[in-house]
mmCIF file of all heavy atoms in Angstrom:
data_model
loop_
_atom_site.group_PDB
_atom_site.id
_atom_site.type_symbol
_atom_site.label_atom_id
_atom_site.label_comp_id
_atom_site.label_asym_id
_atom_site.label_seq_id
_atom_site.Cartn_x
_atom_site.Cartn_y
_atom_site.Cartn_z
ATOM 1 N N MET A 287 112.258 -48.286 19.511
ATOM 2 C CA MET A 287 112.383 -46.820 19.528
ATOM 3 C C MET A 287 113.395 -46.369 20.576
ATOM 4 O O MET A 287 114.185 -45.452 20.363
ATOM 5 C CB MET A 287 111.030 -46.174 19.829
ATOM 6 C CG MET A 287 110.123 -46.103 18.627
ATOM 7 S SD MET A 287 108.498 -45.493 19.092
ATOM 8 C CE MET A 287 108.894 -43.864 19.686
ATOM 9 N N GLY A 288 113.358 -47.017 21.737
ATOM 10 C CA GLY A 288 114.293 -46.659 22.805
ATOM 11 C C GLY A 288 115.728 -46.944 22.402
ATOM 12 O O GLY A 288 116.621 -46.108 22.592
ATOM 13 N N PHE A 289 115.960 -48.115 21.820
ATOM 14 C CA PHE A 289 117.323 -48.463 21.379
ATOM 15 C C PHE A 289 117.789 -47.481 20.295
ATOM 16 O O PHE A 289 118.928 -47.026 20.304
ATOM 17 C CB PHE A 289 117.356 -49.892 20.835
ATOM 18 C CG PHE A 289 117.492 -50.968 21.899
ATOM 19 C CD1 PHE A 289 117.485 -52.313 21.545
ATOM 20 C CD2 PHE A 289 117.639 -50.645 23.242
ATOM 21 C CE1 PHE A 289 117.617 -53.315 22.499
ATOM 22 C CE2 PHE A 289 117.761 -51.638 24.216
ATOM 23 C CZ PHE A 289 117.753 -52.984 23.829
ATOM 24 N N GLU A 290 116.890 -47.159 19.373
ATOM 25 C CA GLU A 290 117.269 -46.211 18.306
ATOM 26 C C GLU A 290 117.614 -44.852 18.910
ATOM 27 O O GLU A 290 118.541 -44.180 18.479
ATOM 28 C CB GLU A 290 116.128 -46.046 17.288
ATOM 29 C CG GLU A 290 115.852 -47.272 16.439
ATOM 30 C CD GLU A 290 116.918 -47.527 15.367
ATOM 31 O OE1 GLU A 290 117.925 -46.798 15.324
ATOM 32 O OE2 GLU A 290 116.731 -48.493 14.594
ATOM 33 N N SER A 291 116.871 -44.486 19.904
ATOM 34 C CA SER A 291 117.110 -43.199 20.547
ATOM 35 C C SER A 291 118.478 -43.188 21.258
ATOM 36 O O SER A 291 119.247 -42.231 21.136
ATOM 37 C CB SER A 291 115.951 -42.983 21.529
ATOM 38 O OG SER A 291 116.040 -41.818 22.177
ATOM 39 N N VAL A 292 118.794 -44.280 21.946
ATOM 40 C CA VAL A 292 120.112 -44.370 22.604
ATOM 41 C C VAL A 292 121.204 -44.339 21.541
ATOM 42 O O VAL A 292 122.223 -43.650 21.692
ATOM 43 C CB VAL A 292 120.243 -45.676 23.436
ATOM 44 C CG1 VAL A 292 121.653 -45.819 23.999
ATOM 45 C CG2 VAL A 292 119.226 -45.702 24.561
ATOM 46 N N ARG A 293 120.971 -45.044 20.450
ATOM 47 C CA ARG A 293 121.982 -45.087 19.404
ATOM 48 C C ARG A 293 122.234 -43.697 18.839
ATOM 49 O O ARG A 293 123.370 -43.278 18.662
ATOM 50 C CB ARG A 293 121.554 -46.023 18.277
ATOM 51 C CG ARG A 293 122.705 -46.288 17.303
ATOM 52 C CD ARG A 293 122.348 -47.348 16.322
ATOM 53 N NE ARG A 293 121.277 -46.887 15.452
ATOM 54 C CZ ARG A 293 121.255 -47.054 14.138
ATOM 55 N NH1 ARG A 293 122.234 -47.678 13.550
ATOM 56 N NH2 ARG A 293 120.248 -46.628 13.427
ATOM 57 N N SER A 294 121.161 -42.936 18.622
ATOM 58 C CA SER A 294 121.392 -41.602 18.053
ATOM 59 C C SER A 294 122.060 -40.681 19.083
ATOM 60 O O SER A 294 122.903 -39.878 18.732
ATOM 61 C CB SER A 294 120.093 -41.000 17.523
ATOM 62 O OG SER A 294 119.193 -40.850 18.571
ATOM 63 N N MET A 295 121.714 -40.857 20.346
ATOM 64 C CA MET A 295 122.350 -39.998 21.365
ATOM 65 C C MET A 295 123.818 -40.359 21.547
ATOM 66 O O MET A 295 124.661 -39.488 21.711
ATOM 67 C CB MET A 295 121.618 -40.124 22.702
ATOM 68 C CG MET A 295 120.268 -39.423 22.711
ATOM 69 S SD MET A 295 119.547 -39.343 24.354
ATOM 70 C CE MET A 295 118.727 -40.908 24.506
ATOM 71 N N THR A 296 124.144 -41.641 21.511
ATOM 72 C CA THR A 296 125.540 -42.037 21.739
ATOM 73 C C THR A 296 126.392 -41.778 20.500
ATOM 74 O O THR A 296 127.579 -41.527 20.614
ATOM 75 C CB THR A 296 125.667 -43.520 22.145
ATOM 76 O OG1 THR A 296 124.907 -44.310 21.257
ATOM 77 C CG2 THR A 296 125.219 -43.748 23.545
ATOM 78 N N ALA A 297 125.770 -41.798 19.327
ATOM 79 C CA ALA A 297 126.542 -41.527 18.103
ATOM 80 C C ALA A 297 127.072 -40.101 18.120
ATOM 81 O O ALA A 297 128.157 -39.821 17.633
ATOM 82 C CB ALA A 297 125.660 -41.738 16.878
ATOM 83 N N ALA A 298 126.300 -39.199 18.761
ATOM 84 C CA ALA A 298 126.702 -37.789 18.788
ATOM 85 C C ALA A 298 127.677 -37.499 19.930
ATOM 86 O O ALA A 298 128.285 -36.449 19.987
ATOM 87 C CB ALA A 298 125.464 -36.918 18.949
ATOM 88 N N ALA A 299 127.830 -38.456 20.841
ATOM 89 C CA ALA A 299 128.642 -38.208 22.036
ATOM 90 C C ALA A 299 130.071 -38.706 21.835
ATOM 91 O O ALA A 299 130.323 -39.572 20.999
ATOM 92 C CB ALA A 299 128.003 -38.926 23.223
ATOM 93 N N PRO A 300 131.016 -38.153 22.602
ATOM 94 C CA PRO A 300 132.394 -38.571 22.438
ATOM 95 C C PRO A 300 132.624 -40.034 22.800
ATOM 96 O O PRO A 300 133.509 -40.674 22.276
ATOM 97 C CB PRO A 300 133.171 -37.658 23.396
ATOM 98 C CG PRO A 300 132.147 -37.077 24.316
ATOM 99 C CD PRO A 300 130.866 -37.081 23.562
ATOM 100 N N CYS A 301 131.831 -40.585 23.707
ATOM 101 C CA CYS A 301 131.998 -42.012 23.995
ATOM 102 C C CYS A 301 130.631 -42.646 24.148
ATOM 103 O O CYS A 301 129.783 -42.141 24.846
ATOM 104 C CB CYS A 301 132.846 -42.262 25.238
ATOM 105 S SG CYS A 301 132.120 -41.730 26.760
ATOM 106 N N GLY A 302 130.420 -43.703 23.416
ATOM 107 C CA GLY A 302 129.144 -44.406 23.480
ATOM 108 C C GLY A 302 129.337 -45.747 24.124
ATOM 109 O O GLY A 302 130.384 -46.003 24.707
ATOM 110 N N PRO A 303 128.362 -46.638 23.993
ATOM 111 C CA PRO A 303 128.468 -47.928 24.640
ATOM 112 C C PRO A 303 129.679 -48.742 24.182
ATOM 113 O O PRO A 303 130.162 -49.567 24.898
ATOM 114 C CB PRO A 303 127.172 -48.645 24.221
ATOM 115 C CG PRO A 303 126.237 -47.582 23.819
ATOM 116 C CD PRO A 303 127.086 -46.455 23.322
ATOM 117 N N GLN A 304 130.177 -48.464 22.973
ATOM 118 C CA GLN A 304 131.234 -49.319 22.448
ATOM 119 C C GLN A 304 132.561 -49.181 23.181
ATOM 120 O O GLN A 304 133.373 -50.064 23.144
ATOM 121 C CB GLN A 304 131.480 -49.030 20.961
ATOM 122 C CG GLN A 304 130.433 -49.648 20.055
ATOM 123 C CD GLN A 304 129.235 -48.743 19.904
ATOM 124 O OE1 GLN A 304 129.055 -47.808 20.681
ATOM 125 N NE2 GLN A 304 128.398 -49.009 18.935
ATOM 126 N N ASN A 305 132.840 -48.033 23.792
ATOM 127 C CA ASN A 305 134.172 -47.888 24.361
ATOM 128 C C ASN A 305 134.150 -47.565 25.855
ATOM 129 O O ASN A 305 134.917 -46.770 26.351
ATOM 130 C CB ASN A 305 134.985 -46.832 23.594
ATOM 131 C CG ASN A 305 134.189 -45.576 23.389
ATOM 132 O OD1 ASN A 305 133.073 -45.485 23.886
ATOM 133 N ND2 ASN A 305 134.740 -44.612 22.681
#
Side-chain angles (χ1 to χ4, degrees):
M287 280 174 62
F289 277 178
E290 292 287 4
S291 181
V292 175
R293 191 172 66 136
S294 62
M295 287 190 275
T296 48
C301 67
Q304 282 86 344
N305 48 4

